[in-house]
Amino acid sequence: MENYAVFRMPSTINYGRNSFETLGKEAAERGKKALIVSDKIMEKLGYISEGRDYLTQAGIESAVYLGIESEPTDTYVQEALELFENEKCDVVISIGGGSCIDTAKAIAILATNGDYIGDYMGGNKIADKKPVPHIAVPTTAGTGSEATDVTIITNTSNDVKMMIKQPAFMPDAAIVDPLLTLSSPQHVTAATGVDALSHAVEAYISKRSHPMTDSMALSAMKLIVENIKAAYQNGENLEARECMALGSLQAGIAFSNSSVCLVHGMSRPIGALFHVPHGYSNAMLLPAVLEFSREYAVKRLADLGRIFSPESENLSDEEAADLAVNSVKKLCLDLNIPNLSGWGIDKEQFETAINKMASDALASGSPANNPRVPSQSEIEELYNVCYEYNFSAESNVG
Ligand SMILES: NC(=O)c1ccc[n+]([C@@H]2O[C@H](COP(=O)([O-])OP(=O)(O)OC[C@H]3O[C@@H](n4cnc5c(N)ncnc54)[C@H](O)[C@@H]3O)[C@@H](O)[C@H]2O)c1
Ligand SMILES: [Fe+2]
């Protein structure tokens, strides 16, 4: 085991209200023609024309790929890469949620290193040539992908959500403007907000946490816990949106340098097979996985409990850890998160998939970072528990 830690972030982070205006300047420092990777909703909201205006003012030409209609697949990556090459672009800009950012990360790597994106999984192929500069502009407060060296792309030939992590995937610059998140609909705010919370909590309880990630994770947990309900209840609450955007960014930095754990390991197969949006599938798993992990992470969960209820600072660690788990359950109720059955997943299909999902979860490597490392059969049991999880019950996990 190494006794030193590494900490990586984008080389530039512009954040705060109106930081989107810096897009032209950042692009001009990195290239001459940009491919904007985004979706039709962003275009409708006017974010693409606004971004192109900033680019034009800075003398940067642009082409636009708007083909992303779901969480990213290898097909979108291929289409967008062809456009990047045909248009002779030299910088890539993502404007959107994690789906747009992750697609752009893959383009930035493939444009200089070649081959199929899946080849980079598990470090089988290392991106050793400098990627095309990527400027990430998130419009959700959730994935933190603007500041992570991870991309998650579905392999359409086997329905596996490939988690691919290498330093070269880190965007060169991130522009985090909370004004762009004001339009996020309520269900997206809930799902992405719990995703950000899961990043912060998993980074904090991970076996790979270290002091630099702890500071980011603790700050992120506080910002998110204190603001997630306000942003959900009133999407126009700019202060809450601002705190969520910052919390999500910090949570991304935290988990990219620490790790995610069992929640994300189990969440990706649900997303790939049943097309549950990433934030929702995390939320459906988070309370059960915390119950499962509790005894192995009492002190760290106690810190989370005290963030939820600062007035309970006199509680013992054991009591505060219970408070953390119960507060997360209550949060899921407040954000109207259903369990897997309530989402409408067919029981028989789910049961048939459990064995593959548990194997895929283990193969991703994330469960090995969990404070309590599960076996294949324990993961299978957790999937069963989560299918009918009762967010109001005291305990669901034996
Ligand atoms: N690379 C990473 O570090 C990382 C981390 C976590 C999750 N992810 C991945 O990110 C993807 C999910 O990203 P996401 O949760 O941001 O959702 P998303 O990008 O899939 O977006 C969800 C929906 O919300 C819409 N939307 C986004 N911002 C909006 C806004 N401001 N106003 C109105 N509509 C808006 C999008 O158009 C889309 O329809 C998943 O594939 C997940 O696996 C990646
Ligand atoms: Fe996530």
Side-chain angles (χ1 to χ4, degrees), residues 41-197:
I41 293 177
M42 299 297 111
E43 187 191 38
K44 228 183 197 162
L45 288 164
Y47 298 159
I48 305 306
S49 58
E50 186 181 343
R52 291 187 97 178
D53 285 348
Y54 296 138
L55 294 174
T56 308
Q57 286 157 22
I60 302 297
E61 283 185 78
S62 57
V64 183
Y65 175 76
L66 296 177
I68 297 164
E69 288 178 356
S70 64
E71 296 194 347
T73 64
D74 46 12
T75 315
Y76 299 152
V77 170
Q78 204 45 44
E79 282 174 7
L81 179 64
E82 276 169 26
L83 188 60
F84 180 89
E85 285 167 350
N86 293 341
E87 292 284 337
K88 303 200 170 26
C89 297
D90 55 8
V91 53
V92 58
I93 296 172
S94 50
I95 302 177
S99 295
C100 299
I101 299 175
D102 281 6
T103 306
K105 284 180 175 177
I107 297 162
I109 292 290
L110 296 183
T112 51
N113 287 270
D115 293 333
Y116 172 64
I117 186 63
D119 296 343
Y120 294 81
M121 205 176 154
N124 289 336
K125 179 176 163 73
I126 303 290
D128 48 13
K129 295 199 188 90
K130 206 167 182 287
V132 164
H134 171 200
I135 304 171
V137 186
T139 62
T140 56
T143 69
S145 180
E146 69 275 10
T148 75
D149 62 3
V150 181
T151 186
I152 299 163
I153 307 287
T154 298
N155 180 337
T156 46
S157 64
N158 63 4
D159 275 342
V160 169
K161 261 186 118 169
M162 302 181 286
M163 200 272 284
I164 310 168
K165 181 171 165 68
Q166 289 189 23
F169 285 98
M170 181 68 76
D172 199 35
I175 298 177
V176 184
D177 188 338
L179 293 172
L180 297 175
T181 66
L182 287 175
S183 53
S184 169
Q186 204 175 33
H187 66 280
V188 174
T189 302
T192 54
V194 181
D195 187 25
L197 179 64

Side-chain angles (χ1 to χ4, degrees), residues 142-143 152 195-196 198-199 255 260 264 278-279 282:
T143 69
I152 299 163
D195 187 25
S198 309
H199 294 156
F255 93 77
V260 284
H264 274 76
H278 175 72
N282 281 341

Side-chain angles (χ1 to χ4, degrees), residues 355-376:
N355 183 273
K356 172 179 162 53
M357 291 197 294
S359 308
D360 290 350
L362 276 175
S364 75
S366 302
N369 302 322
N370 206 57
R372 177 178 175 188
V373 180
S375 63
Q376 164 96 12

